Amino acid sequence: MLPLNIRPGTSADVPVIFSLIRALAEYEGLSQAVVGCEAALREHLFGECPYAETLLAEWKGQVVGFALFFPNYSTFLTQPGIYLEDLFILPDYRRQGIGTALLQAVAQLAVQRGAGRFEWSVLDWNESAIAFYQKMGAQVLPDWRICRVAGEALDHLGAACQ
């Protein structure tokens, strides 16, 4: 029996998922950006209208990593896709094939669901992640930049129509 198990997250996993989100934020130097809570995460992952899904990586029965993803859509392909919001493995468990297994599991779901693409973002300073993703067959798109409107700017933009 392999020490690694990949499985869907459940409502009971919300505390460990949230702790992994905090660990990811700390790794990225963004701890102050985690302003959400477990209750909201539970509702958004397992409530009446789920917005995202998770896969958890268990190493010898302990959750040591996760992938959080959700559907998107490509108008050019006229096909659904999957966007990977987060992929994180606790530092002590890296280089064990866990990240590879999580990426493969999400890619398998994308294929099963008829997705035309599977995509995500990576911080430009994270050279080890970029090399890992390229080794897995991903293209890093140099001409694209992420645009984000949040907080007061989102409130202002949303109110502009009224």
Side-chain angles (χ1 to χ4, degrees):
M1 182 172 150
L2 294 176
L4 177 62
N5 181 44
I6 304 295
R7 65 170 177 84
T10 68
S11 182
D13 294 313
V14 167
V16 74
I17 296 168
F18 197 67
S19 73
L20 289 167
I21 290 168
R22 285 187 171 164
L24 169 61
E26 183 178 327
Y27 172 75
E28 292 180 344
L30 296 170
S31 293
Q32 74 286 352
V34 179
V35 296
C37 65
E38 288 183 22
L41 184 63
R42 179 174 282 105
E43 177 63 27
H44 297 147
L45 292 179
F46 305 105
E48 190 174 313
C49 180
Y51 290 96
E53 298 175 64
T54 58
L55 291 177
L56 301 181
E58 294 177 323
W59 187 262
K60 298 181 181 176
Q62 178 184 343
V63 176
V64 299
F66 80 112
L68 189 142
F69 55 95
F70 51 87
N72 63 7
Y73 191 80
S74 169
T75 55
F76 288 6
L77 298 176
T78 61
Q79 283 185 280
I82 288 184
Y83 185 84
L84 178 67
E85 178 67 20
D86 290 323
L87 175 72
F88 182 72
I89 311 302
L90 291 171
D92 290 346
Y93 297 90
R94 293 181 186 157
R95 301 199 178 278
Q96 306 288 329
I98 298 169
T100 299
L102 279 169
L103 272 180
Q104 289 172 332
V106 178
Q108 184 178 38
L109 288 173
V111 170
Q112 289 171 353
R113 296 174 185 182
R117 63 185 180 199
F118 170 31
E119 58 192 356
W120 59 91
S121 301
V122 61
L123 293 168
D124 61 0
W125 58 260
N126 197 341
E127 294 177 13
S128 63
I130 292 168
F132 168 68
Y133 295 145
Q134 289 175 323
K135 181 179 152 196
M136 296 295 297
Q139 287 182 304
V140 178
L141 305 175
D143 298 334
W144 292 83
R145 299 292 183 266
I146 297 169
C147 298
R148 179 176 293 156
V149 181
E152 288 182 25
L154 178 58
D155 293 340
H156 179 72
L157 183 61
C161 299
Q162 298 174 0

